[in-house]
Amino acid sequence: MRCLAGIDMSKPGYQQLIIHPRPIEELSFVSAWQMTPYGRVRVEWRIEEGGEYTLSCTVPGGATAIVVLEQADVHQITLGGKLLTGDVPGLVRAWQSEADAMIELESGRYTFTCR
């Protein structure tokens, strides 16, 4: 769960989660969840034919999350169909860290799409 789904609850108090899925070529779909004192954190990712990658996650109320999308360009990721460069509800900030996209979120349900 910590590697493939990327649910990392190692920060004390579970208030800030890290969601860092690590897709592998042998799998096209992973779904996992974990209970926290704030509720259920859920992660699901899918790789479609043609390489489109979709990540859905739920951040429980009272918590925040940093989502790490490996080898992704933050300017080409959509959240709920909108580019991260615009005003997107629940999005605190998004930035590029070398080859990975980093996205900070408030509690809520989110679906990201990228290639």
Side-chain angles (χ1 to χ4, degrees):
M1 181 168 37
R2 190 170 182 183
C3 188
L4 289 174
I7 300 172
D8 183 347
M9 300 187 322
S10 60
K11 294 230 180 211
Y14 305 107
Q15 272 190 304
Q16 185 175 54
L17 306 166
I18 298 173
I19 298 173
H20 186 174
R22 292 171 180 89
I24 59 173
E25 199 171 296
E26 293 81 11
L27 295 175
S28 62
F29 175 82
V30 165
S31 181
W33 61 270
Q34 178 69 43
M35 286 302 293
T36 74
Y38 300 97
R40 184 182 300 204
V41 58
R42 184 185 65 82
V43 173
E44 179 179 304
W45 60 257
R46 178 179 305 276
I47 300 173
E48 302 290 340
E49 295 263 341
E52 184 174 87
Y53 176 73
T54 302
L55 170 71
S56 296
C57 63
T58 301
V59 180
T64 62
I66 302 286
V67 175
V68 180
L69 297 176
E70 291 185 352
Q71 304 296 313
D73 182 344
V74 74
H75 301 291
Q76 296 181 356
I77 298 170
T78 60
L79 172 55
K82 297 180 181 180
L83 288 174
L84 297 181
T85 55
D87 185 27
V88 180
L91 176 68
V92 175
R93 64 187 175 127
W95 69 98
Q96 194 71 38
S97 174
E98 297 183 20
D100 302 335
M102 310 288 286
I103 305 158
E104 186 174 0
L105 302 169
E106 297 173 346
S107 61
R109 292 182 179 167
Y110 303 94
T111 300
F112 299 94
T113 305
C114 61
R115 289 203 166 270

